[in-house]
Amino acid sequence: MSKIDSKKYPFCALGHQYALDIVSKEITANIYVIGACNRYLEHYRIWSEAPVLAKYYFDLEKAEKYLRIVQKFEHVIGDWTPKNIKYEPWQCFTFLNIIGIYNRETGYRKYRIAHVEVSRGNGKAHTLNQLVPTPQGMKKWEEIGVGSELYGRDGKICKVVGKTPIEPFEVHEVHFSDGTVVETSGAHEWITSDKTERSRQGRHKSKPPTHPCTNRVYEGVRETSEIMGSLTYGVETNHSVLNTNPVEGRGDLFIDAYFLGYWLGNGSKGKVHCDIRDADELVSEFVSRGIDCNISDSPEISEYGATVNCRGIVVPFRENGISSSKEFKDEWLTLPKELRLDLLRGLIDSDGHIGKQGSVEFYSSTLSLAEGVRRLANSLGFKATRNVKNIPENNNFKTDKTHYRVLFSARGDVKVSILKRKRDRLVASRGTHTYTDKRYIKNVIKTERVEDMFCVEVDSVDNTYLISDSYIPTHNSLLASQAGLYFLAFDSPL
């Protein structure tokens, strides 16, 4: 059998050689790949021996054109050397089939639909029970399919446009500095900044906007296994992942978000009043938001401050299952970001504390409320953690219940408090370095477990989506992106 001219059609020749290596068992493959290669080689043999009589003919010019053009496309994220995308032999073989084989009778391509499955070891995947935030609420990864909505790291809603087959992979645990653990395959990709890139970015901050270095990218796409092999730089943690932007949302609340947040912290179950320390300031705020309330004229003053009576909220609270329980509802995570921020402000102004350097803490004896606040803060682009607050025997809480503490730092222009005494403690920045806008990858553990996984392709601007209830950005599979762009820009539909 004749070979393809490697000087005239180098990438077609690479794909052709891949098929020869498969059938000769130089490359180990499953029966489906072997079958595909045998079918291709048979078509090629018939065409090369009788080009005019063959039902299917090869247009190597078109196939080579595609393989040349798509490999001139550049990676849109990261600092790559070389910057352009490089196809492996199996990819050249795949698109040699799709682009290069035509039906003589119809003039159309032989293959109008292509189903490509990536072999084990090349998968970028999550375990099926991994949590993922969506505009419809928190879901398990197994619930995600083509058409599902996710979030990109820019906070905007994106859609799943492709999904790889479910297959078993070795589980790798990616441990982040905030305590989050994400389970993936070894080939799953993340957008990280390493120590060198962060240092370079720090040096370039002082440069004028016209300086060439201001266009540099200080992050790159890296596989989990690659990160595992470069966890530290000297004694420092090497890889970090930037926080997401606040995610978008939909819908509305049955009552003012700030008031609801405050009531969840300092309101009384089954009652229509709140115990308030900053009564005058808060009553004025509530009234401006449409809440009918006033400071109680009762001579008894709550140990937490004045008691504020609120009218007209009993029925809506009861109808929404709020009055008898202070449970955080997951549906609140899907609200527009302005409402979520107001909800967080109410929670912080009631049961929260802001330190002198802008560190924010929230305390609650209700686990679901504390966990909800952690997720709420993460959905707004903060890096929030939760731990257990040990309560000593003689304490100001006057309770022996376990308390949970949520911690995060609110730097920049976003204010997570309305109360003046708390808001004044928020700071825009602290020092020359910031650690609050990123999570560090502390460890990657390759376990002995093997679990079913799959990955998706999304239509977000930078091919990212968020994973886990910590809203951590990660990278998707680019299964057909280059092909789609080629067909759209350069090729006819035939």
Side-chain angles (χ1 to χ4, degrees):
M1 182 186 299
S2 62
K3 291 187 177 182
I4 294 176
D5 187 346
S6 61
K7 292 185 178 180
K8 190 175 183 180
Y9 309 110
F11 297 113
C12 289
L14 195 62
H16 185 83
Q17 186 60 46
Y18 173 82
L20 293 174
D21 291 342
I22 288 290
V23 298
S24 66
K25 298 184 180 180
E26 289 290 323
I27 299 176
T28 303
N30 60 38
I31 58 174
Y32 303 106
V33 175
I34 295 172
C37 290
N38 278 322
R39 182 172 60 244
Y40 159 82
L41 290 172
E42 180 65 12
H43 286 327
Y44 186 82
R45 182 190 64 80
I46 295 173
W47 173 72
S48 60
E49 292 177 356
V52 178
L53 300 178
K55 181 179 179 181
Y56 299 107
Y57 67 96
F58 283 69
D59 192 331
L60 297 179
E61 293 286 351
K62 286 188 176 180
E64 188 68 16
K65 176 184 175 182
Y66 168 83
L67 292 169
R68 284 182 183 276
I69 289 178
V70 296
Q71 293 185 83
K72 292 182 182 297
F73 296 166
E74 293 185 355
H75 294 279
V76 296
I77 299 172
D79 190 7
W80 293 75
T81 304
K83 290 185 175 182
N84 59 292
I85 293 169
K86 182 178 183 300
Y87 269 17
E88 297 294 327
W90 69 268
Q91 292 170 302
C92 293
F93 167 76
T94 299
F95 288 100
L96 172 58
N97 277 265
I98 296 172
I99 307 296
I101 305 179
Y102 284 75
N103 187 313
R104 189 177 300 280
E105 295 177 0
T106 65
Y108 293 166
R109 292 190 181 95
K110 178 180 189 294
Y111 299 109
R112 307 288 288 172
I113 298 175
H115 176 84
V116 182
E117 291 189 5
V118 182
S119 62
R120 183 176 178 177
N122 292 311
K124 306 169 181 69
H126 299 292
T127 53
L128 302 185
N129 62 351
Q130 178 67 60
L131 289 178
V132 55
T134 78
Q136 292 74 41
M138 206 65 64
K139 293 184 178 182
K140 288 188 176 181
W141 190 240
E142 62 184 347
E143 301 176 67
I144 303 302
V146 174
S148 296
E149 291 183 321
L150 302 178
Y151 293 113
R153 69 168 177 172
D154 58 2
K156 296 181 178 180
I157 296 171
C158 60
K159 283 193 174 182
V160 175
V161 297
K163 176 181 176 180
T164 63
I166 296 176
E167 54 183 325
F169 291 98
E170 294 178 325
V171 176
H172 290 66
E173 295 179 348
V174 183
H175 292 251
F176 291 87
S177 55
D178 65 342
T180 302
V181 178
V182 178
E183 293 185 339
T184 74
S185 65
H188 184 78
E189 293 177 335
W190 304 86
I191 300 179
T192 75
S193 295
D194 61 22
K195 174 63 178 177
T196 301
E197 290 165 335
R198 292 194 302 273
S199 298
R200 185 184 301 126
Q201 183 179 21
R203 293 195 302 271
H204 292 173
K205 280 183 178 180
S206 60
K207 302 294 183 182
T210 56
H211 195 278
C213 71
T214 57
N215 295 321
R216 292 293 297 271
V217 177
Y218 303 100
E219 56 187 7
V221 179
R222 298 175 173 96
E223 292 187 358
T224 299
S225 57
E226 178 186 353
I227 295 171
M228 183 173 63
S230 57
L231 282 171
T232 58
Y233 185 92
V235 296
E236 297 184 48
T237 304
N238 193 21
H239 295 279
S240 64
V241 178
L242 284 174
N243 299 347
T244 177
N245 285 346
V247 301
E248 294 179 344
R250 304 185 180 114
D252 202 353
L253 265 178
F254 67 94
I255 200 167
D256 180 76
Y258 179 76
F259 176 79
L260 174 60
Y262 197 96
W263 183 88
L264 288 168
N266 278 347
S268 300
K269 292 182 182 179
K271 298 180 182 180
V272 293
H273 68 253
C274 298
D275 295 323
I276 296 179
R277 175 180 171 185
D278 307 82
D280 292 333
E281 185 180 357
L282 282 169
V283 167
S284 177
E285 182 68 31
F286 292 160
V287 170
S288 71
R289 293 169 173 268
I291 303 299
D292 185 5
C293 61
N294 67 286
I295 300 175
S296 172
D297 56 3
S298 170
E300 294 184 7
I301 301 297
S302 165
E303 60 185 306
Y304 301 105
T307 296
V308 172
N309 295 318
C310 305
R311 291 174 289 275
I313 67 171
V314 176
V315 174
F317 267 48
R318 185 183 298 123
E319 289 176 346
N320 288 273
I322 305 296
S323 60
S324 61
S325 172
K326 289 191 174 184
E327 302 289 328
F328 189 96
K329 294 185 177 296
D330 284 344
E331 63 197 56
W332 297 338
L333 296 173
T334 66
L335 292 169
K337 57 185 177 183
E338 294 80 9
L339 292 181
R340 297 199 316 275
L341 181 56
D342 262 354
L343 183 62
L344 181 62
R345 286 166 173 159
L347 287 156
I348 298 304
D349 281 348
S350 57
D351 273 357
H353 168 74
I354 298 179
K356 292 181 179 180
Q357 298 297 332
S359 59
V360 182
E361 300 180 10
F362 175 83
Y363 294 90
S364 178
S365 60
T366 305
L367 176 59
S368 69
L369 182 56
E371 180 61 11
V373 172
R374 183 188 71 85
R375 292 181 175 184
L376 180 64
N378 285 327
S379 78
L380 290 165
F382 299 116
K383 180 179 65 175
T385 62
R386 175 179 58 80
N387 57 34
V388 177
K389 176 70 174 180
N390 295 320
I391 306 299
E393 292 184 4
N394 298 320
N395 63 82
N396 293 327
F397 291 97
K398 296 181 173 57
T399 178
D400 57 358
K401 291 182 179 179
T402 299
H403 273 63
Y404 304 95
R405 179 172 59 177
V406 179
L407 304 97
F408 63 95
S409 291
R411 307 267 164 76
D413 297 329
V414 179
K415 304 300 183 184
V416 296
S417 173
I418 289 178
L419 285 177
K420 186 178 185 305
R421 63 181 174 85
K422 293 186 178 183
R423 188 179 65 246
D424 287 347
R425 288 190 165 192
L426 293 171
V427 295
S429 62
R430 179 187 177 190
T432 58
H433 300 284
T434 178
Y435 304 94
T436 62
D437 64 343
K438 62 181 73 72
R439 292 172 174 84
Y440 292 87
I441 298 178
K442 305 294 288 186
N443 200 4
V444 177
I445 301 174
K446 181 179 180 181
T447 72
E448 297 181 355
R449 292 158 42 218
V450 175
E451 292 192 18
D452 285 343
M453 303 186 194
F454 69 89
C455 195
V456 298
E457 182 173 355
V458 296
D459 61 0
S460 62
V461 174
D462 58 358
N463 306 117
T464 62
Y465 60 91
L466 306 183
I467 195 70
S468 86
D469 59 1
S470 296
Y471 294 74
I472 299 177
T474 189
H475 202 260
N476 75 174
S477 294
L478 295 176
L479 198 58
S481 299
Q482 301 94 34
L485 182 57
Y486 174 87
F487 291 138
L488 181 65
F490 299 105
D491 201 54
S492 74
L494 300 181

